[in-house]
Amino acid sequence: AAAQSRPSALQSGESLATLKNESDSLKKKLEEERAKLHDVELNQVAEKVELVSALSIRTRRVLKGHGNKVLCMDWCKDKRRLVSSSQDGKVIVWDGYTLNKEHAVTMPCTWVMACAYAPSGCAVACGGLDNKCSVYPLSLDKNENLAAKKKSVAMHTNYLSGCSFTNSDMQLLTSSGDGTCALWDVESGQLLQSFHGHTADVLSLNLAPSETGNTFVSGGCDKKANVWDMLPCASVSCRLYDLRADREVAVYQKDSIIFGASSVDFSLSGRLLFAGYNDYTINVWDVLKGNRISVLFGHENRVSCVKVSPDGTSFASASWDTSLRIWA
Amino acid sequence: MSALLNVIQAKRMVDQLRVEAGMERFKISLAAAELVQYCQEHRRSDPLLTGITASSNPFKDKKTCILL
């Protein structure tokens, strides 16, 4: 059962009509406040910054083994292992250096849309059309059946679109086609916090990098990205939203790009933005200057997921062409 | 019943908007300057940006091994 946040108590004199009026006037005030802040463009401030020198990024590894579209992937903190999940119902753990498949799990459903590696490297979480997110401890014993130790943690009322461990193996954050995000205790399966605010399917979520790890962003079919205190519908443009200015500060798009971007990630310094598109390419954008630096070809179908490795030496991409690629 | 739910929803919306209206906001010129500064400060430790030698990147093909 989902726990909704309680609204504050009704004051005397408040009614649906007065609340609607206050809501409208607050929205108008917010729009005016935000417009006042737009005194300059990001790329103007970045004019004196030197250009990014030519990047020599290309495919270094191709991970083949899934039988159908690869929908999601995540890096292990050891910077070499990855977990990927597919429409074929399988979740595979790979050694990115050697291309060895270290573990494989067959899920009881197809379209495993989300997967995540636990910070300890000892478990993976995944889910999709089963409306759940389950955690599988990774056994060192090759003969052990991973499915036997599976633990169902999250339960949604629609498909699981995203999952991520917070800063420990103990808590799992999920996003769902039911329009909500939720925080769960892995050990007990208890729902700790529920986040309502999207008006349609939530497609993706990402945690802010920080020791306390208590902020995350979610993107949805309602074309909104919400930032939550714990306390992505493919869009043709990628947008950078600054939390302190409380508004969009840059848009990365070109007229020649007509296909949606499904997934994005930043390089370690934040200067480069890698975006995977439905036209099978990955575009590399200069975050500060706003221009596209290069286009990476290689995948033979939509790119579903892009993630930079924990030490920033490479990034991985997952695709509907059934493969994953590591680029460096 | 649905009238009560509408009021609860409206109240929740107003609560959220009050929080947002009360937030401190910075001009883009300031926020952008901080973004530029962050990127510049961390650029040397961004292997994908600066490029690192094949020998230090486990994913890049190495040249032949030298036995010491």
Side-chain angles (χ1 to χ4, degrees), chain A residues 16, chain B residues 1-11:
Chain A
L16 190 57
Chain B
M1 181 59 182
S2 69
L4 178 59
L5 285 174
N6 284 342
V7 172
I8 292 176
Q9 250 177 313
K11 185 66 184 179

Side-chain angles (χ1 to χ4, degrees), chain A residues 192-256:
Chain A
L192 298 171
Q193 210 175 340
S194 174
F195 305 92
H196 298 252
H198 280 284
T199 50
D201 303 21
V202 184
L203 298 179
S204 68
L205 62 88
N206 210 325
L207 276 152
S210 91
E211 259 102 62
T212 46
N214 51 16
T215 316
F216 73 96
V217 60
S218 63
C221 282
D222 55 0
K223 297 191 186 169
K224 292 216 199 103
N226 287 349
V227 181
W228 307 88
D229 244 327
M230 261 187 290
L231 152 206
C233 198
S235 163
V236 177
S237 62
C238 299
R239 290 160 193 271
L240 184 67
Y241 196 90
D242 187 294
L243 296 179
R244 292 150 309 165
D246 187 30
R247 53 164 299 137
E248 178 186 288
V249 295
V251 183
Y252 308 100
Q253 66 187 2
K254 275 176 103 72
D255 289 340
S256 57

